Structure formats: structure tokens, C-alpha cells
């Protein structure tokens, strides 16, 4: 039993704040402390209260930096790390020209392992402590992903994509092999250490009805697994998908028809939706995932957060690397703010930081484990320097409130603002500062 005491400014959320004045929604301490033991947070509060309870514990003093729960990225493609920023097309061409050839490389376990190691380094460099990832169609890619996560003791969710049509042969499975491979991966990895499995039919275009049925069977057999797919990102995609399933009322109804729509389901993008689809999200508790940098990069459109929220839908937010252009959840909030601005919607900094921590944890059903700095949760923690660059320091000198400071961090911040990332209590970046 080794205790460690972290000292610094501390911010953690109890629920989604309405605005900066909604101070009951969060705890903010100028001189806070977290006592870590065996990967867990065992005390959290004012330094003057927590420190005397652990007089022997070594103290890592992060002041004046800000400690927060680690960031959670709810939609990212692990095999797309080397096609981020590939020029010049909207969704379907971009998939065919860049993504499918790139993902074919992940049939090779040694390649998948090499990229997994670098991918996880980049995640923690950006303050991301949990992600929900799509692997390629090959079991090898998921094996590499989960093995790397296990080695780092990270709470990671992922799954091999199921796809059996409308892509090159070297990235296709079959309904039976997709089912068998997914099942074997679930049995090996789901619930092993901190890992969770996401059943991952890529999207309706690349799965036959038979494969969708198999995905539905997997979901029924493993109700505690997440399910992830893509929905209504692009108008050509919608036309193609619905033409392949002529009996479906709309795009979302394709997935509904196979029993996939539950509160464990994450659907990336959800930009162009009918009222029926929005109502169906509300009824089933399924979660749209807002991917702002991706939606801007591919010219896909603007996610209507206010419409979803008004219907009672709980949205997640994510990078969607490699259509997304930054691993940084801060930059994701920056672009997200602007996407909402274009629609006359506001994203207050307090709500923004709640979203990438506790909000995404709630969507995943993991708020008892991650997303806050509460006692009894896992010690996944990010330490932020709001003055990380000269431009940020110049701006922050005039920030008068916490909300103002956080907003500038949300707009100007990126991996340079991440001083340290703790995974289950272990610092990931060199010597802590
Ligand atoms: N739709 C189906 N697959 C993908 C993907 O890999 N990226 C994005 N942005 N959309 C998709
Ligand atoms: Zn995606």
C-alpha cells in the first residue's frame, strides 16, 4: 500500500452545470489535494484537511496547475492515426481513398502493435485517459489495442469493426467470421482488468442484413458490452445506406430493426436527423456522439446539440481521429464551441469541461469509476497549465474568474497545456512538475 498525495488547484463536477454561476454543480479548491492508493482516489478535498490524514505520503505539488478528472474520448479510430489530415474529400471518397487502404495494414499484428504503442502515448500526452475506439476489421488490431491498454492499466473500450461489403476484400470479414472474432475478443478482453468491449458494426453501408443480424445477436448475448456505429454524417452516405435497407423507415431505423438501439449504444455524428430519429434516441437512451473537428474537416455539417438536449437525449463528444484533426479534447471543445455558435447555441466553459469528463463518463455508464475526482473512483487525473504558451499566459493575466480562465483554456489549449496525466495513479509524462 503506497500512498501519494497530489496537491494543486482542484476542479471536479457533481452534475452538469447550467452556467458559471451554478456553483453547486462542481467543487473548485484553490489549494486542493488528492490522496491516491492502489490506483484509486481515497481522499479528495482541501489540502489542509487531506494532508494530515496521510502524514507519511510523498507530496507531488502541482500548484498553480489545475487537477481534473482525465479526459474521455468517446469515438476514435485507432487504425487511422496515420491518415489524420489526408486531403480533399467528403466521407465516402475519404474512406475509400485513405481509410480502407490504411486499415488493411492492421492485418499485421506487428504493425498493429507498433501503432498501438504510439497511439496510446499520444492519447496520454493529450490528457485522454479513457477512449472508445474502433479497431480495424482484423482481430490482430483489437488484440494489439487491448494488450497495449492492459500494459498501461488504462480503462479503454474498443472493438474490431464488423464489415462485410462495400469495401476492398482485405478489410472485409463475413457475417460468421465477424461474429466469431468479435465473440472471441469479448470473451478474452471484456471485463479483463479495465477493458471493455464495444460491438462495432462499422455502419449500415458496410454490413449486410445478415451481418447486422449477427451484430444484434452479439448485443443480445452480451448486454453489458457497448455498441458503436456511425449514423447520418453525410447526405450521400444517408442516401446509400437507406437504399441498401429499403424497408427501414429511416437510417436509424436500420439499427433499431436489429435490436441495436439501447443505452449502451454510441452513434457517431448524427448530423442530419428526422424528428422520428430524435424521438427514438430519447426513447431508447442511445447516445449521439458529437465529433466537431471531424464534421468540419469532412464538411459533413453541424451537430444540433440543442435539438437533442431539448428532446432529452444525452450527447457524448469525441475527436473521431482520423477524420478528426486533433487528439486534444480541449481542441475538440474549441471547434465544438464554434459549430454550436454557427447555430446560435452556446457552450459554456463549465458545461464544456463537465462534458469531456463526467458527462462522457455518464454516457458510458462509468461515472462510478471515472470522470470525477470523487473518493472511490479510479485515479485517472489530468493536470492542466492554463498558461502553457506565451499567448495563453498573456491572455490568462486578464482572466478574473475560473469560468473565464477555463474558457480561454478550452479555446486556446491543446497538449501543451497537459502538464501531467495519471493513469490509475501512475504519472505518464516523465517526472511530474
Ligand atoms: N463512417 C463509417 N466509417 C467511418 C470512419 O472511419 N470515419 C468517419 N468519420 N465516418 C465513418
Ligand atoms: Zn468514426
Amino acid at each position: 500500500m503506497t500512498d501519494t498525495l497530489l496537491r494543486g488547484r482542484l476542479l471536479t463536477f457533481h452534475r452538469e452545470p447550467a452556467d458559471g454561476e451554478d456553483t453547486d454543480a462542481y467543487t473548485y479548491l484553490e489549494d486542493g489535494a488528492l490522496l491516491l492508493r492502489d490506483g484509486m482516489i481515497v481522499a479528495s478535498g482541501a489540502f489542509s484537511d487531506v494532508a494530515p490524514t496521510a502524514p507519511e505520503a510523498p507530496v507531488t505539488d502541482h500548484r498553480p496547475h489545475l487537477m481534473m478528472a482525465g479526459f474521455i474520448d468517446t469515438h476514435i479510430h485507432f487504425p487511422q492515426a496515420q491518415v489524420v489530415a489526408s486531403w480533399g474529400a467528403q466521407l465516402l471518397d475519404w474512406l475509400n481513398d485513405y481509410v480502407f487502404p490504411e486499415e488493411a495494414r492492421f492485418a499485421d499484428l506487428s504493425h498493429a502493435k507498433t501503432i498501438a504503442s504510439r497511439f496510446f502515448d499520444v492519447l496520454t500526452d493529450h490528457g485522454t485517459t479513457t477512449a472508445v475506439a474502433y479497431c480495424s476489421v482484423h482481430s490482430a488490431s483489437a488484440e494489439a489495442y487491448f494488450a497495449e491498454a492492459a500494459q498501461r492499466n488504462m480503462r479503454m473500450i474498443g472493438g474490431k469493426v464488423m464489415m462485410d461489403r462495400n469495401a476492398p476484400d482485405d478489410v472485409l470479414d463475413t457475417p460468421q467470421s465477424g461474429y466469431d472474432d468479435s465473440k472471441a475478443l469479448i470473451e478474452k478482453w471484456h471485463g479483463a482488468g479495465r477493458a471493455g468491449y464495444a460491438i462495432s458494426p462499422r455502419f449500415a453501408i458496410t454490413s449486410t442484413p445478415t451481418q447486422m443480424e449477427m451484430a444484434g445477436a452479439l448485443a443480445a448475448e452480451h448486454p453489458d458490452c457497448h455498441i458503436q456505429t456511425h449514423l447520418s454524417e453525410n447526405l450521400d452516405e444517408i442516401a446509400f445506406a437507406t437504399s441498401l435497407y429499403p424497408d427501414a423507415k429511416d437510417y436509424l431505423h436500420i439499427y433499431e430493426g436489429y435490436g441495436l438501439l439501447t443505452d449502451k449504444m454510441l452513434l457517431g455524428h448524427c448530423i442530419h436527423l428526422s424528428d422520428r430519429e430524435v424521438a427514438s434516441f430519447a426513447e431508447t437512451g442511445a447516445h449521439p456522439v458529437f465529433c466537431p473537428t471531424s464534421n468540419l474537416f469532412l464538411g459533413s455539417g453541424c451537430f444540433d446539440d440543442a435539438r437533442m438536449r431539448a428532446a432529452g437525449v444525452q450527447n457524448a463528444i469525441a475527436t473521431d481521429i482520423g477524420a478528426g484533426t486533433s487528439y486534444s479534447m480541449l481542441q475538440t471543445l474549441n471547434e465544438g464551441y464554434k459549430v454550436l455558435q454557427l447555430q446560435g447555441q452556446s457552450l459554456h466553459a463549465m458545461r464544456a469541461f463537465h462534458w469531456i469528463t463526467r458527462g462522457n463518463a455518464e454516457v458510458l455508464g462509468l461515472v462510478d469509476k471515472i470522470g470525477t475526482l470523487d473518493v472511490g473512483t479510479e485515479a485517472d487525473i489530468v493536470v492542466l497549465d492554463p498558461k502553457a504558451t506565451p499567448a495563453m499566459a498573456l491572455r490568462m493575466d486578464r482572466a478574473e474568474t475560473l469560468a473565464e480562465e477555463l474558457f480561454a483554456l478550452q479555446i486556446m489549449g491543446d497538449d501543451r497545456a497537459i502538464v501531467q496525466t495519471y493513469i490509475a495513479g501512475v504519472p505518464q509524462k516523465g517526472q511530474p512538475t
Side-chain angles (χ1 to χ4, degrees):
M1 185 179 83
T2 30
D3 289 358
T4 312
L5 196 64
L6 306 187
R7 183 175 191 177
R9 298 162 68 209
L10 184 158
L11 176 66
T12 187
F13 294 94
H14 313 306
R15 59 171 166 77
E16 185 184 76
D19 53 37
E21 272 70 66
D22 188 5
T23 51
D24 289 349
Y26 60 89
T27 293
Y28 171 67
L29 300 169
E30 276 290 336
D31 190 5
L34 295 168
L35 183 63
L36 314 184
R37 181 180 307 150
D38 300 331
M40 306 292 285
I41 298 173
V42 295
S44 175
F47 181 78
S48 56
D49 292 335
V50 176
T53 68
E56 311 285 306
V59 179
T60 302
D61 193 347
H62 284 299
R63 291 176 303 167
H65 302 323
L66 184 62
M67 305 188 294
M68 237 184 256
F71 300 152
I72 301 170
D73 186 349
T74 52
H75 183 129
I76 186 165
H77 294 262
F78 148 59
Q80 295 178 15
Q82 293 188 299
V83 289
V84 178
S86 291
W87 186 82
Q90 291 218 344
L91 176 64
L92 298 178
D93 290 329
W94 178 82
L95 288 173
N96 287 317
D97 294 347
Y98 300 111
V99 170
F100 295 151
E102 182 65 15
E103 293 195 5
R105 303 173 70 205
F106 287 73
D108 174 5
L109 180 62
S110 73
H111 175 70
K113 282 183 175 168
T114 303
I115 301 299
S117 167
R118 294 175 66 187
F119 175 79
F120 278 73
D121 282 346
V122 175
L123 287 182
T124 51
D125 281 351
H126 285 77
T128 296
T129 51
T130 288
V132 186
Y134 291 77
C135 303
S136 75
V137 73
H138 318 94
S139 286
S141 72
E143 289 287 350
Y145 171 84
F146 282 119
E148 190 66 37
Q151 200 188 318
R152 296 171 189 239
N153 196 18
M154 285 177 76
R155 183 162 288 288
M156 296 292 284
I157 297 168
K160 81 154 218 102
V161 287
M162 303 169 75
M163 48 193 292
D164 67 343
R165 66 169 164 184
N166 290 321
D169 284 348
D170 53 4
V171 288
L172 292 183
D173 54 13
T174 67
Q176 192 62 49
S177 73
Y179 173 90
D180 291 343
D181 291 350
S182 300
K183 184 113 189 148
L185 288 164
I186 291 169
E187 277 160 11
K188 179 165 177 189
W189 291 109
H190 185 67
R194 302 183 77 196
Y197 198 83
I199 298 160
S200 308
R202 182 178 206 120
F203 66 159
I205 289 176
T206 49
S207 285
T208 59
T210 312
Q211 177 156 77
M212 282 296 179
E213 250 171 60
M214 300 292 236
L218 277 175
E221 288 157 15
H222 301 281
D224 54 339
C225 285
H226 286 91
I227 309 161
Q228 60 180 350
T229 193
H230 296 83
L231 179 80
S232 297
E233 177 175 5
N234 169 287
L235 297 176
D236 291 340
E237 171 214 7
I238 297 170
F240 192 8
T242 51
S243 78
L244 294 169
Y245 289 87
D247 295 338
K249 288 185 225 173
D250 47 47
Y251 194 169
L252 184 61
H253 194 242
I254 300 171
Y255 300 130
E256 275 179 275
Y258 295 99
L260 293 169
L261 222 57
T262 71
D263 64 357
K264 300 294 279 183
M265 190 174 202
L266 305 165
L267 296 104
H269 308 296
C270 302
I271 295 169
H272 313 280
L273 299 184
S274 67
D275 288 345
R276 195 210 72 80
E277 290 174 301
V278 174
S280 186
F281 271 105
E283 264 161 46
T284 59
H287 300 286
V289 185
F290 177 25
C291 304
T293 71
S294 165
N295 298 159
L296 293 172
F297 180 73
L298 290 178
S300 303
C302 291
F303 179 84
D304 192 343
D305 180 57
R307 181 187 184 203
M308 296 293 192
R309 289 164 61 83
V313 176
Q314 194 176 9
N315 303 317
I317 186 165
T319 63
D320 190 30
I321 290 291
T325 51
S326 172
Y327 286 84
S328 169
M329 291 304 291
L330 299 174
Q331 277 307 294
T332 301
L333 290 176
N334 170 28
E335 302 285 278
Y337 177 85
K338 295 169 188 167
V339 167
L340 299 191
Q341 277 284 75
L342 283 170
Q343 302 170 92
Q345 299 176 23
S346 58
L347 175 58
H348 193 279
M350 285 297 172
R351 182 156 84 79
F353 278 92
H354 172 269
W355 206 354
I356 62 172
T357 55
R358 191 180 181 285
N360 275 347
E362 261 196 346
V363 162
L364 297 177
L366 291 173
V367 81
D368 57 327
K369 296 186 170 62
I370 55 171
T372 70
L373 300 178
D374 291 352
V375 170
T377 65
E378 297 165 353
D380 291 347
I381 300 156
V382 68
V383 182
L384 295 152
D385 178 5
K387 297 186 174 180
T389 68
M392 290 171 77
L394 186 59
R395 167 65 185 92
M396 293 303 171
D397 283 348
R398 291 263 287 131
E400 285 170 6
T401 64
L402 174 65
E404 207 183 322
E405 182 186 17
L406 287 178
F407 184 60
L409 182 60
Q410 160 188 345
I411 300 301
M412 301 177 79
D414 55 28
D415 52 321
R416 294 169 294 181
I418 308 299
V419 172
Q420 187 54 277
T421 304
Y422 291 88
I423 299 291
V426 178
Q428 304 293 302
K429 283 188 159 195
Q431 281 305 304
T433 58

